[in-house]
Amino acid sequence: MSGDDSYPARQDEPTEPTRVLVADSCSATRAGLRLALEAAGCSVCAEAVDAPSAVEAALRERPDGCLLDTALSGDSITAAAAIHSNVPDAPVIMFGHSPSDGELFAALDAGASGYLTRDMDPDRLAIVLRRVSAGEAAFSRTLVARLIQEFRRRHLPLLRDLTNREFEVLELLCQGLRTAEIADRLFVARVTVRTHIASILRKLGVPDRRSAIRLLDES
């Protein structure tokens, strides 16, 4: 697995091991994931080979995160929904090949906190799982672009003129982040963020940040 991820290392990763449930029908894949996760300081608290056993393990172990193969026998989406409903503090990340739009949105509707593709560098998994357990979402760059495009198409035609980066900046503004915080999150200069914000306001036809956020909330 290699490269289609966007999760640079940070200096503030937690020191406590992140307890992970790994669910995959292939024993070799489970072994590889366990090796990569434990080498990075995570703890694989349980393994599962199908959807029912994944739900059972999540209920029993209450992990910090669940990594579910999308092709589990018994339906991975059903398992994700059951875990999300019964163990809400154990975020679910789906793990598979590049999904169709239907599969991707079905996973999100089921409560999944992310979807990672199998070409992701396994050494990055621990970082991603720690951040998801802290409340972040996890998607590769290509999937983020697809989510943005579909969100625009379905719900917010008024955002169709925004670039992907402008949409990211607007999302972070809606989360309450300031210019400096957005710059740090996106690894860009503050002046670049200000330029994006000015472009967003112009394209939306609003005078300030609050108006842009209110427009998004009301749409």
Side-chain angles (χ1 to χ4, degrees), residues 99-107 146-147 150 154:
S100 66
D101 287 347
E103 292 169 333
L104 180 58
F105 284 94
R146 285 170 57 183
L147 287 170
E150 181 64 12
R154 289 187 179 187

Side-chain angles (χ1 to χ4, degrees), residues 147-164:
L147 287 170
I148 290 173
Q149 291 168 1
E150 181 64 12
F151 183 70
R152 289 174 180 163
R153 186 186 71 79
R154 289 187 179 187
H155 304 292
L156 294 173
L158 59 90
L159 299 181
R160 63 183 178 275
D161 293 331
L162 298 187
T163 65
N164 288 345

